[in-house]
Amino acid sequence: MNRFVRILITGLASITWAGLALAQSAPQTSVPPATTQGPGRGGVVPVVVIGPPAPVPQEVAIPRPTSAELVQVNDAVKKFIDGDRSANKPLLKKFESLLMLQPARKNVAATFTQTAQRQGPRHLGFVEVAKQGNIDLLLHGDSITDWWVQNDANKAMFEKYFGGMRTANFAIAGDTTQGVLWGLANGEGQGFQPKAIMVMIGTNNSSNTGPEIAEGVGAIVLEMRKDFPDAKILLLGIFPRAVPGDPIRDKLAEANRIISRLDDQKHVFYMDIGAKFLDDKGIFLPETFRPDNLHPMAKGYDIWGEAVKDKLAELMKQ
């Protein structure tokens, strides 16, 4: 296979996989909104209606072909394969369908969706806290952040690093990027102006690809910049989970590589402290994380607090 053909096929394959796995199209107004089921209480299962798409920063945006571009690229690919006269033509014909761009799919991670977690008392309580103001440091995310104050040992670590600050923790266990987006746009992002925000989210977006998670995180950063224009955002890389070689760990690492582009050293400051929890083989250090290899224990929260305290102090002064 000559050099030109190799380059073309490699490029087409990359575009194909982007179209298959990563693309998002605007929701069609003629189609009813999709719904999913979330966990409920007392036997009641809240219905989750997927909301409208959120703006995404260019730094993390996934390339998405228009309908016209899709037709144009696929026609070009077919003509190229049909016109090939090399010994590779049978191979190209065999994988022709894989080289074709596919219609873009919606990225739910970058939508304003009221998740099951954001329905009910927790969300309403956050809105009331937001209305009261007096918040200098906002913490946001999922269970990893929510459980800073789950038990006495964790609370002691929270007090050690944040006890002298006026803080609010709007993280909810089990939530996703789309839930955080909805909460910020519906009362959790209004009524106060924090000096700094520490946010980490995305580990629960299991149905999304790494780039899709990154878009969701990027949309959150944009929403926070709109709601809190003077705040400094400490954007944490999503903590590693599972064990080395597990696809979920690789997916989150991919998302982290992409969201690191959001660091502008003016309003957004990216920090990945995941390696501090791991030994040289990538295994969690003893007594830092629970057996689920997902949630920190008090020692893990201590490592976390120590890793971010100086940066947060710096950001709070700006």
Side-chain angles (χ1 to χ4, degrees), residues 68-91:
E69 289 171 335
L70 187 146
V71 171
Q72 185 177 359
V73 170
N74 287 345
D75 284 348
V77 172
K78 182 170 179 55
K79 288 179 181 178
F80 172 79
I81 296 174
D82 289 345
D84 185 72
R85 296 294 180 266
S86 73
N88 298 302
K89 184 168 184 175
L91 191 62

Side-chain angles (χ1 to χ4, degrees), residues 5 15 17 21 43 99 130 141 146-147 150 163 171 203 210 227-228 251-252 257 298 300:
V5 174
I15 295 172
W17 286 114
L99 294 173
D146 187 6
W147 293 354
Q150 186 189 48
T203 197
D227 294 338
F228 314 116
K251 179 195 295 189
L252 297 180
R257 287 192 294 271

Side-chain angles (χ1 to χ4, degrees), residues 38-46 116-117 119-122 172:
R41 297 179 181 177
V44 178
V45 181
Q117 290 78 13
Q119 297 181 29
R122 292 290 308 271
I172 299 182

